Amino acid sequence: FHKFLPAMEKLLDFSGPLDVDLLDQVVEALYQGLPQQRDAVQTTLTKFQEHPDSWLRVDTILEYSRSSATKFYALQILETLIKYRWKALPREQCEGIRTYITNLIVKMSMDDATLQREKLYLPKLNLILIQIVKQEWPAHWKSFIPEIVASSKQNETICENNMSILRLMSEEIFDFSSGQMTQAKIEMLKKQFNQEFAMIYELLEYVLTVSQKTSLLAATLKTLLKFLNWIALCYIFQTKMIDLLIYKFFLIPDFRNTSLKCLTEIACIQMGPQDEAHFAKLYNLFMDQLKNILHRETNIQQAFKNGSEDDKEFVQNLAIFLTGFFKAHLTSVEKDYQQATLEGHFYLAEISLVDDREIFKICLEYWHNLASELYNQQPFTTIIHTPARPLRRLLYESTFSKVREAMISRMAKPEEVLITQDENGEIIREVMKGIDEKILYKTMRQTLVYLTHLDQVDTQNLMLEKLQAQVDGTDWSCQKLNCLCWAIGSISGSMTEDDEKRFLVMVIKDLLGLCENKRGKDNKAVIASNIMYIVGQYPRFLRAHWKFLKTVVNKLFEFMHESFPGVQDMACDTFLKICQKCHRKFVEAQPGETKFFIEEILLTLPSIIQDLSPQQIITFYEAVGHMIGTSTDARLNTQELVAKLMELPNQTWAALLISVSQNNEFLRQPEAAKALTNILRTNVRVAYSLRGRYTSQLGFLFIDLLNLYKAYSSLVNQIVATGGPNATKTSVIKSMRSVKKQTLILLQTFIQRSDNAQMVQQNFIQPIFEIILTDYKVNIPDTRDPEVLSLIAVSLNTLKSMMIQEIPRIFDHVFECTLDMITKNFEDYPEHRVNFFNLLRAVNLYCFAAFFMIPERYFKLVIDSIVWAFKHTMRNIAETGLHILDELWNNISQSDVSGPFYQTYFLSLFQDLFYVLTDTFHKSGFKMQAAMIRKMILSVEQNQVKSPLNPQYPAADNSTFLKQYITNMFSSSFPNLTPNQVNELVRGLFLYKDDDAKFQALLRDFLVQIKEFSGGDDNSELFIHDREAETQLALDQRKRMEMAIPGMIGPNEITDVMNDG
């Protein structure tokens, strides 16, 4: 390699001819050489690629290289030239490159053998040609479309490759242009493509009519597929296209899937009422042909299972076609072709039973939309004598019965269920899978709710029939019972209260009987989990029937002693849900009861929880906390109830503290830290559920809690002092720090959930901050708890201006030392970063005046911190930084210090904002960056910035100065921009200062023009805030709509009169 290294350097000598063999060896070394060699090879190749004359050697490389990798490397050089430097080249060189690439492509596609041999290399050449077309067409290459059409008619192999070029061109202009070209250029290219499309369509139709070459026909259909979503309707309905697709290619197995995709693209086009007859006719023609290919009697479920990959793809494509067509044109075919419409829905209902998750999701989305549409034509009403059902509902009555059966038999697992059956038939405990599973369950649940509203009787009958088959054993299956019970739980709230009562009593009665009679621990565990799931989904029923509620809770207490995996977890989780929704029932006097049920629970609490794990006990305590937290009966002393609830943890706490007082070394034992951590976790959840009523319990712990925090902090520091920084990674230190962490979380939860901010500020803040702030400051960075920063931020957000006197002390103890930790790089201490900037934002929002109570150097650090935040590579921190800057700007503009602030920080902040706007790491923050820049320009234009921004010429106009400042900044930072481009940009920034949409569009076009945002970067993130805003608006609208539909929102998602949190 030492001999090879000097030889490699010869490649960088552009004074003589290129040694192509040497270049082949160097490129080969990059992929196959030793790891220690690759860095040097990569450096040489990068230098070669970046040399301004490297593109002049591309033709030599392509002609003489024997390595595909080297040829790809050469094409990368050429691609870079076309993207970044094309407009700087003389016209004759542009035309020379264009001619060379065109001739090379023709040469490579002259015959099938060459086309096959160059099948990896040719697509890259096609992409290079498209990059040239984007630069040249139509201004400098008006004849491009006529040339490509003419060459296609001369040779079928050339024609096949030209189809790939036209397909790429369509994708580049219509699919992938956003963020890659300016809006004006995109519109111009689209317009030109449409104007010249007649020639292209003529070629497509000619090939599809005349050619017998399978590969060419396949390529042409794929190209047509790319055109169909934007071409004019006249090319579809006033030509031979429909006949070719339906009567020729749909009938040939080799082309069936591609032609069906083409028909799907057409089917999904939505135009005005005047064109609906065309689409209805298309559908009817298609259904006539479909019945010849897929007979109505065919068992699609079985055929799919036994079919080839092409057959399975056909079923999926058919589902996409039918659902897409019905979404766009259902009402028109319902009117003119009712029988064909019902046949299409019959096929779709059959396809819904196919054992393929993706196909089912396609069908499910359509059934959800159709059921929703039909429901909204006659929404739920409380009127007893409802009008006759609309005709459209009657039309789909039999179809929907099949769909209900599919939904019930395939119901997805809800998040609450912990016990299920694996692929081997084993009953297991299962944690919830990813987001996809949750979305599937939610969509299925909502669809079933709509279907229940459309025909409640049919839904109930289907469910009760399937349950009876489980009870009598004729169709017993754990998985079938699971799906059935998940479906029963999912329609909670969709029936009237009386109907729900009758239905649920039958279901629970059958399930309890099944649990008693079924043999086998696995079977009993499955039935128990289903009972718990269903009762947890019907809180309205439980609230209305106290005896049943009490029976259910006592049954849950029984399940808490069951050792089968998952049963205890589910019992505790269900108990928590019931307590959240029915809590007041447990602290109200009930007819025929001599005691409040909460008193019975507290008396028997030790025996109830004796078999539970620590985490399950914590859930149990939180649930009981919800009961006590809402007690209003004067006969119940809530402080006594809290004391009784916490009796066992407090006894353990006291015993541990006695051990500590007798032996200081006791705290070093991991078992001690573990026991204390469990007690604190229990207190955290109880503090959450009790809200303000937790104060008495915290009063019991408070002094010992702070002393324990100090003691563990001292121990940690001692161990680290002797063992060095690596000691922080030991299990002993981690267990000790866990006690500190849970202490901080407990205090944070108490402050956040308290209903008496003044009491908290007067009695707790001073002693808490005295301990934790001092401890934080003196600790080494690796032992500083990020929860300290979170606790301070929560205190500020909760107590607001009452905290203002604490700000100087907070800054003195945590500000500078935390900054030292997080400003060395963008990776270390991620939790500290997030919490620190949340703290800073809270200070600005609620204690802004405190900025004038701290030393000036701290304020300078505040500004530096904000800049550091919005330059951060973590999106959440960068956005927090921009929020802080925006809120600080608002506060400053209304204060007496705005003049000095603008003079000191305006220009530097403006420059830093443009820095993050134009780098490639902060695209997702584009909208907020643009808004902040616009706000700063507005503040100058509206004369809010009265102090001179140019200290050298204090009398100069700020607006004129800022324009010149921006011009100079852009000219020096982006030398590839012409003076005219810079001037137009600056003019636009000030012209569109009052129009947010135009201001953002101007900046987006600017970012496309500069090199940093080119080179194949994904610029979709520039639009991320727009997409997120649209998504959020749609979610809000959907939420409001769902709230109006009984049962549409799950019972555990609703905050109702019995659920205050």
Side-chain angles (χ1 to χ4, degrees):
F1 182 69
H2 292 296
K3 294 179 181 178
F4 184 50
L5 195 59
M8 243 182 359
E9 294 297 318
K10 293 178 183 177
L11 294 176
L12 304 178
D13 180 8
F14 281 78
S15 60
L18 175 67
D19 186 342
V20 178
D21 288 338
L22 175 61
L23 182 61
D24 281 345
Q25 293 174 40
V26 172
V27 172
E28 185 181 358
L30 180 66
Y31 295 105
Q32 299 178 11
L34 297 173
Q36 60 268 31
Q37 299 173 353
R38 288 176 189 162
D39 288 342
V41 170
Q42 182 64 67
T43 302
T44 301
L45 289 174
T46 302
K47 286 180 181 178
F48 183 89
Q49 186 171 353
E50 291 174 351
H51 193 283
D53 292 334
S54 59
W55 67 274
L56 294 169
R57 307 207 157 186
V58 169
D59 58 340
T60 304
I61 299 170
L62 295 180
E63 187 170 352
Y64 295 107
S65 173
R66 287 170 291 190
S67 163
S68 297
T70 307
K71 289 181 179 180
F72 274 98
Y73 171 71
L75 290 177
Q76 284 177 349
I77 295 172
L78 191 57
E79 189 173 23
T80 302
L81 172 80
I82 297 166
K83 286 183 175 180
Y84 305 148
R85 296 170 55 201
W86 188 261
K87 288 184 170 60
L89 295 177
R91 280 299 331 144
E92 60 272 15
Q93 287 187 337
C94 291
E95 290 171 6
I97 295 170
R98 189 178 84 191
T99 303
Y100 173 77
I101 293 296
T102 305
N103 291 338
L104 191 57
I105 288 174
V106 170
K107 179 183 172 183
M108 300 261 177
S109 56
M110 281 297 291
D111 56 69
D112 286 331
T114 311
L115 191 69
Q116 187 64 27
R117 189 173 63 249
E118 304 293 349
K119 64 181 180 181
L120 297 177
Y121 176 42
L122 189 56
K124 184 65 179 177
L125 278 174
N126 291 340
L127 281 169
I128 296 290
L129 179 64
I130 293 301
Q131 295 300 331
I132 294 173
V133 170
K134 283 161 65 177
Q135 299 283 2
E136 294 281 280
W137 182 70
H140 300 293
W141 198 358
K142 292 181 181 178
S143 61
F144 171 70
I145 297 293
E147 284 177 18
I148 202 168
V149 169
S151 66
S152 297
K153 292 180 179 179
Q154 295 172 5
N155 181 312
E156 282 196 318
T157 319
I158 291 175
C159 182
E160 188 174 330
N161 187 61
N162 284 352
M163 289 299 169
S164 299
I165 293 170
L166 289 170
R167 186 165 66 248
L168 286 171
M169 188 173 173
S170 176
E171 289 174 346
E172 285 290 316
I173 295 174
F174 288 92
D175 300 336
F176 309 137
S177 57
S178 182
Q180 302 296 324
M181 295 182 280
T182 63
Q183 292 301 309
K185 185 171 183 178
I186 293 168
E187 290 306 314
M188 183 269 291
L189 291 178
K190 285 182 178 180
K191 184 178 179 182
Q192 188 68 27
F193 211 159
N194 271 297
Q195 286 175 353
E196 300 192 39
F197 186 73
M199 284 184 283
I200 297 172
Y201 179 76
E202 184 187 335
L203 172 67
L204 294 174
E205 189 176 285
Y206 175 77
V207 172
L208 293 175
T209 306
V210 173
S211 179
Q212 299 297 315
K213 188 179 180 184
T214 303
S215 59
L216 173 57
L217 290 171
T220 306
L221 284 171
K222 287 178 183 176
T223 302
L224 174 63
L225 179 60
K226 286 297 176 184
F227 293 153
L228 285 170
N229 64 359
W230 59 263
I231 62 174
L233 281 186
C234 62
Y235 292 113
I236 298 173
F237 294 116
Q238 296 175 22
T239 63
K240 293 160 51 178
M241 185 189 296
I242 299 296
D243 288 347
L244 284 168
L245 290 172
I246 292 180
Y247 293 120
K248 181 177 181 180
F249 293 104
F250 183 60
L251 302 179
I252 303 170
D254 285 349
F255 303 117
R256 183 169 295 151
N257 279 312
T258 311
S259 59
L260 184 50
K261 287 177 182 177
C262 290
L263 290 168
T264 302
E265 282 292 336
I266 298 170
C268 293
I269 298 171
Q270 290 181 286
M271 303 298 289
Q274 70 279 4
D275 296 306
E276 281 301 298
H278 292 306
F279 291 99
K281 184 180 177 183
L282 162 68
Y283 173 76
N284 197 46
L285 294 174
F286 174 79
M287 289 303 297
D288 285 344
Q289 294 303 311
L290 178 64
K291 285 182 284 187
N292 296 328
I293 294 171
L294 191 64
H295 301 295
R296 186 182 172 91
E297 299 77 24
T298 304
N299 184 331
I300 297 178
Q301 189 177 2
Q302 194 62 38
F304 181 88
K305 184 178 179 181
N306 300 328
S308 65
E309 287 303 312
D310 281 346
D311 293 334
K312 291 177 180 178
E313 186 186 351
F314 172 71
V315 173
Q316 179 166 332
N317 289 335
L318 179 58
I320 295 170
F321 171 83
L322 291 171
T323 56
F325 185 90
F326 290 146
K327 283 177 198 172
H329 311 289
L330 180 59
T331 51
S332 61
V333 290
E334 272 180 354
K335 183 175 65 175
D336 298 330
Y337 301 102
Q338 194 174 98
Q339 185 57 39
T341 303
L342 291 176
E343 286 173 353
H345 283 85
F346 170 82
Y347 280 115
L348 203 53
E350 290 293 315
I351 291 171
S352 301
L353 296 169
V354 162
D355 187 16
D356 183 283
R357 188 185 181 88
E358 293 308 310
I359 292 176
F360 178 71
K361 283 158 66 175
I362 293 165
C363 300
L364 173 63
E365 184 192 2
Y366 174 70
W367 296 129
H368 181 277
N369 292 340
L370 180 61
S372 164
E373 182 185 335
L374 295 182
Y375 168 83
N376 287 319
Q377 289 180 349
Q378 184 183 304
F380 173 84
T381 176
T382 55
I383 300 170
I384 296 173
H385 300 292
T386 56
R389 285 187 294 167
L391 290 175
R392 288 191 74 202
R393 288 196 187 182
L394 293 172
L395 180 65
Y396 296 108
E397 199 167 40
S398 60
T399 299
F400 278 151
S401 190
K402 274 182 171 294
V403 175
R404 285 185 194 96
E405 193 164 351
M407 294 295 150
I408 295 167
S409 62
R410 299 191 60 159
M411 194 68 198
K413 184 172 81 68
E415 192 172 1
E416 297 93 335
V417 175
L418 299 173
I419 299 168
T420 187
Q421 191 174 36
D422 67 10
E423 62 272 16
N424 300 317
E426 298 292 324
I427 305 304
I428 58 166
R429 178 187 174 193
E430 180 182 62
V431 294
M432 189 62 185
K433 292 176 182 173
I435 191 73
D436 186 57
E437 188 78 19
K438 296 178 185 179
I439 292 171
L440 179 63
Y441 169 72
K442 184 177 180 181
T443 309
M444 290 188 74
R445 188 183 68 75
Q446 291 184 347
T447 305
L448 201 49
V449 167
Y450 280 128
L451 292 170
T452 303
H453 280 300
L454 294 176
D455 193 337
Q456 179 181 307
V457 174
D458 188 52
T459 304
Q460 288 188 11
N461 288 343
L462 280 170
M463 289 178 171
L464 292 173
E465 284 170 16
K466 287 180 178 293
L467 181 57
Q468 187 57 42
Q470 296 296 312
V471 171
D472 62 26
T474 56
D475 193 26
W476 165 255
S477 156
C478 287
Q479 186 57 29
K480 287 181 180 178
L481 180 66
N482 283 339
C483 290
L484 171 61
C485 292
W486 299 341
I488 291 170
S490 72
I491 60 170
S492 166
S494 61
M495 295 176 265
T496 63
E497 202 160 345
D498 287 342
D499 288 334
E500 186 175 273
K501 174 185 174 182
R502 283 193 294 272
F503 175 64
L504 200 59
V505 166
M506 286 189 282
V507 168
I508 298 299
K509 181 182 173 184
D510 282 351
L511 285 173
L512 287 172
L514 187 61
C515 193
E516 287 292 323
N517 298 325
K518 204 71 183 172
R519 295 289 170 262
K521 206 164 189 177
D522 286 8
N523 293 333
K524 285 183 179 291
V526 169
I527 299 166
S529 80
N530 285 315
I531 293 171
M532 289 186 283
Y533 170 65
I534 289 174
V535 297
Q537 297 303 303
Y538 286 87
R540 180 176 68 173
F541 174 80
L542 295 177
R543 288 198 294 260
H545 301 86
W546 163 249
K547 288 188 176 179
F548 192 85
L549 170 59
K550 186 176 179 181
T551 302
V552 164
V553 171
N554 284 325
K555 194 70 179 174
L556 291 176
F557 292 163
E558 286 181 31
F559 289 146
M560 288 179 191
H561 300 287
E562 174 59 61
S563 60
F564 192 89
V567 173
Q568 290 173 309
D569 277 325
M570 201 160 173
C572 292
D573 290 347
T574 305
F575 180 54
L576 174 59
K577 283 188 174 68
I578 290 174
C579 289
Q580 287 171 331
K581 298 303 250 178
C582 309
H583 38 63
R584 289 180 192 158
K585 291 293 175 182
F586 302 103
V587 288
E588 290 173 349
Q590 300 295 340
E593 304 277 351
T594 57
K595 281 184 177 180
F596 291 91
F597 193 47
I598 181 65
E599 294 176 321
E600 292 182 30
I601 291 173
L602 294 177
L603 280 173
T604 56
L605 188 147
S607 63
I608 294 172
I609 66 171
Q610 66 184 4
D611 294 323
L612 298 178
S613 69
Q615 186 56 49
Q616 291 160 353
I617 290 171
I618 290 169
T619 303
F620 183 91
Y621 270 84
E622 179 185 352
V624 179
H626 281 292
M627 298 180 188
I628 299 171
T630 51
S631 168
T632 55
D633 197 304
R635 288 169 291 178
L636 285 172
N637 184 320
T638 52
Q639 287 198 11
E640 289 180 4
L641 292 177
V642 172
K644 186 66 178 172
L645 171 66
M646 302 306 292
E647 188 174 18
L648 287 178
N650 287 346
Q651 287 173 359
T652 309
W653 175 265
L656 290 167
L657 292 181
I658 290 170
S659 299
V660 173
S661 66
Q662 293 172 349
N663 178 11
N664 283 333
E665 292 300 303
F666 178 74
L667 289 180
R668 290 180 178 267
Q669 298 176 16
E671 293 76 13
K674 185 176 180 181
L676 288 165
T677 299
N678 281 332
I679 294 170
L680 290 171
R681 282 184 175 142
T682 304
N683 275 272
V684 168
R685 298 319 301 162
V686 172
Y688 177 84
S689 58
L690 279 175
R691 294 176 176 260
R693 295 184 176 183
Y694 181 75
T695 305
S696 60
Q697 170 64 10
L698 184 64
F700 171 78
L701 300 175
F702 192 60
I703 301 301
D704 293 328
L705 192 67
L706 295 182
N707 287 336
L708 200 62
Y709 187 90
K710 282 172 66 178
Y712 267 118
S713 190
S714 176
L715 271 177
V716 168
N717 290 336
Q718 287 175 30
I719 295 171
V720 171
T722 55
N726 286 334
T728 59
K729 297 179 175 64
T730 62
S731 59
V732 174
I733 292 288
K734 286 179 179 177
S735 64
M736 291 179 177
R737 291 189 66 195
S738 179
V739 177
K740 292 180 66 183
K741 176 180 177 178
Q742 290 304 317
T743 300
L744 293 166
I745 293 173
L746 173 58
L747 296 172
Q748 177 179 319
T749 305
F750 166 69
I751 293 169
Q752 206 165 20
R753 302 286 284 178
S754 174
D755 50 13
N756 189 339
Q758 192 170 4
M759 178 274 297
V760 172
Q761 194 273 331
Q762 289 176 353
N763 297 303
F764 292 97
I765 291 297
Q766 187 73 20
I768 289 172
F769 278 25
E770 188 70 41
I771 299 293
I772 68 165
L773 292 181
T774 304
D775 175 67
Y776 186 89
K777 186 175 183 179
V778 300
N779 282 345
I780 65 167
D782 285 350
T783 59
R784 288 185 184 133
D785 299 300
E787 291 77 20
V788 169
L789 303 175
S790 179
L791 173 58
I792 298 169
V794 164
S795 302
L796 288 163
N797 287 323
T798 306
L799 307 179
K800 298 182 170 55
S801 59
M802 284 187 277
M803 290 287 293
I804 197 164
Q805 297 303 321
E806 297 292 335
I807 301 302
R809 180 160 61 147
I810 290 169
F811 268 75
D812 183 54
H813 284 77
V814 308
F815 195 77
E816 206 162 359
C817 62
T818 306
L819 268 182
D820 287 341
M821 292 166 58
I822 66 176
T823 53
K824 289 182 172 63
N825 56 51
F826 285 129
E827 288 82 34
D828 295 342
Y829 308 108
E831 287 183 81
H832 291 78
R833 291 170 189 279
V834 174
N835 294 347
F836 175 80
F837 291 114
N838 287 337
L839 185 161
L840 191 58
R841 188 178 185 189
V843 173
N844 181 48
L845 282 172
Y846 303 116
C847 301
F848 173 70
F851 283 137
F852 311 117
M853 300 162 56
I854 59 176
E856 189 175 337
R857 71 184 184 88
Y858 277 155
F859 187 74
K860 172 70 168 64
L861 283 176
V862 168
I863 302 301
D864 291 344
S865 303
I866 294 170
V867 173
W868 180 261
F870 68 65
K871 285 185 176 181
H872 208 285
T873 51
M874 286 172 62
R875 181 184 169 189
N876 59 335
I877 293 177
E879 289 190 356
T880 301
L882 290 167
H883 280 303
I884 298 170
L885 178 59
D886 182 50
E887 291 152 2
L888 179 67
W889 196 270
N890 294 337
N891 287 336
I892 289 286
S893 64
Q894 298 167 24
S895 72
D896 298 331
V897 298
S898 59
F901 175 83
Y902 291 143
Q903 277 191 316
T904 308
Y905 299 110
F906 187 101
L907 294 179
S908 63
L909 285 171
F910 197 81
Q911 192 164 359
D912 286 326
L913 281 167
F914 265 104
Y915 170 83
V916 294
L917 182 82
T918 55
D919 74 10
T920 55
F921 301 108
H922 298 88
K923 295 179 189 178
S924 61
F926 169 79
K927 188 169 185 177
M928 295 174 68
Q929 296 155 6
M932 195 63 227
I933 290 168
R934 192 170 74 86
K935 177 177 280 192
M936 294 177 77
I937 291 174
L938 262 176
S939 65
V940 169
E941 290 295 277
Q942 293 175 350
N943 204 28
Q944 293 172 6
V945 181
K946 299 184 184 300
S947 303
L949 294 177
N950 185 0
Q952 296 178 355
Y953 301 99
D957 172 49
N958 277 339
S959 177
T960 305
F961 169 73
L962 185 59
K963 289 174 184 173
Q964 189 57 50
Y965 179 84
I966 298 172
T967 302
N968 295 340
M969 180 174 70
F970 287 163
S971 298
S972 60
S973 301
F974 308 110
N976 59 316
L977 295 182
T978 65
N980 186 51
Q981 286 177 307
V982 172
N983 291 334
E984 281 299 305
L985 173 63
V986 175
R987 188 182 72 83
L989 290 175
F990 285 79
L991 179 65
Y992 300 136
K993 64 185 183 299
D994 297 310
D995 189 324
D996 189 46
K998 288 184 177 179
F999 193 86
Q1000 286 185 40
L1002 177 76
L1003 284 177
R1004 283 196 184 104
D1005 281 350
F1006 159 65
L1007 294 175
V1008 170
Q1009 289 174 330
I1010 62 176
K1011 180 179 178 179
E1012 285 83 349
F1013 276 75
S1014 300
D1017 283 338
D1018 178 10
N1019 293 326
S1020 60
E1021 285 189 83
L1022 293 176
F1023 301 87
I1024 195 166
H1025 275 283
D1026 292 343
R1027 290 198 300 273
E1028 287 176 349
E1030 289 172 7
T1031 302
Q1032 190 57 50
L1033 181 63
L1035 286 173
D1036 292 343
Q1037 290 173 342
R1038 185 183 299 172
K1039 189 81 171 177
R1040 285 193 295 272
M1041 182 197 73
E1042 289 172 354
M1043 289 296 288
I1045 303 171
M1048 191 52 64
I1049 303 292
N1052 297 311
E1053 300 173 54
I1054 301 173
T1055 302
D1056 54 25
V1057 291
M1058 290 296 283
N1059 178 27
D1060 53 12

